[in-house]
Amino acid sequence: MGTSTRWKGPSGDRWSSAARRLSRWREHSRNADQRLEQIAADYLGALHETLRADQSAFGLYDTACAAGERLVRALGSLAVGGAESEEALVARLVSEVGGNGGTLSDAAVRRGAAAAVRDVRERHPELDVAMDTGAAGGGFAWDILCDLYQVFFAHMAGEFLRSVVAEHINLAVPVLIATDPEGRIADWVAEKVVELVPSPCEESAGATDLAQAVDTAQLAVGAVRDPSMTLLKTAESLVPRAVGRVLGLITEEAAGEEGAAA
């Protein structure tokens, strides 16, 4: 009350081990890139281990799930009308998805939304002209929105670890700040976990196939299934799985067992 304490980051043996390895890392040393990837894997493993022991740790799981639900609502509006530029789209998603919380997890969500927009633009060069000229007012195609969905959750996890790594650097080895290892670690983490995030487009494809017979019958009475609604419902239902996978709460083994049981 009335005072503030600097957050020193998560504690525990695995976090400390990753921090020690980081303190010994130097950009121009032998195998520096490979060693930094190993350190990134250490931090990601520490995060997963911590959340498996306590799902409420850092408030990250609940924050990410809430943000995912807000993201789905944003995707619905983006499918109808897009932003005018990359800057406008970043501002829109940071506002609509990021919320106004002040925790480290909230900040990771906001930075993850911004990073996701940049990532999607790199994946879809066809957006360059529209965004550069401010002519992206039409709705975004669903293949783009599904990519945005996937990379958002991945970047959210990476951005959370970016803050942890940055704090460890400030506390232990401020000389490393100039080399930006925290940014490279965040990028590695996002690239590593994005493949774990289910795609609403891929998941809804099966549901669409199963519904084709029903749709055919409905055509006779003028009722047609809205593909966007199917995708939005699918995206919403996938949020807990997406968060669980990037945070290590759902492993590949558990996902396989779940699929077999189904």
Side-chain angles (χ1 to χ4, degrees), residues 205-214:
T208 300
D209 291 340
L210 291 174
Q212 282 182 343
V214 175

Side-chain angles (χ1 to χ4, degrees), residues 20-77:
R20 285 194 299 271
R21 293 192 67 184
L22 179 64
S23 70
R24 296 191 295 268
W25 180 83
R26 294 296 182 271
E27 183 178 20
H28 300 295
S29 63
R30 183 179 180 183
N31 298 323
D33 291 342
Q34 181 180 359
R35 291 180 62 196
L36 192 61
E37 290 183 358
Q38 293 170 348
I39 293 169
D42 286 347
Y43 273 106
L44 181 60
L47 177 64
H48 287 174
E49 182 179 276
T50 299
L51 286 165
R52 286 170 189 158
D54 178 8
Q55 184 172 304
S56 67
F58 321 121
L60 186 56
Y61 177 81
D62 288 342
T63 297
C65 284
E69 293 173 358
R70 294 193 295 268
L71 174 65
V72 172
R73 293 194 291 271
L75 294 181
S77 63

Side-chain angles (χ1 to χ4, degrees), residues 47 59-75 78 89-99 104-121 123-124 143-162 186-187 189-200 235-236 238-247:
L47 177 64
L60 186 56
Y61 177 81
D62 288 342
T63 297
C65 284
E69 293 173 358
R70 294 193 295 268
L71 174 65
V72 172
R73 293 194 291 271
L75 294 181
L78 289 174
L89 181 56
V90 167
R92 179 174 178 173
L93 286 184
V94 168
S95 174
E96 295 182 9
V97 179
L104 188 67
S105 297
D106 292 314
V109 164
R110 289 189 284 270
R111 291 198 303 271
V117 172
R118 294 189 290 269
D119 193 336
V120 164
R121 182 170 182 177
R123 291 166 178 255
H124 294 275
D143 63 326
I144 296 174
L145 295 179
C146 285
D147 282 351
L148 181 62
Y149 181 93
Q150 288 184 284
V151 299
F152 164 73
F153 291 106
H155 279 293
M156 178 273 304
E159 291 299 326
F160 179 84
L161 286 173
R162 179 200 291 267
D187 290 343
V189 168
E191 184 177 352
K192 186 70 174 179
V193 303
V194 69
E195 62 189 30
L196 302 178
V197 182
S199 167
E236 183 177 16
L238 291 174
V239 168
R241 194 199 309 178
V243 175
R245 284 189 171 183
V246 299
L247 298 184

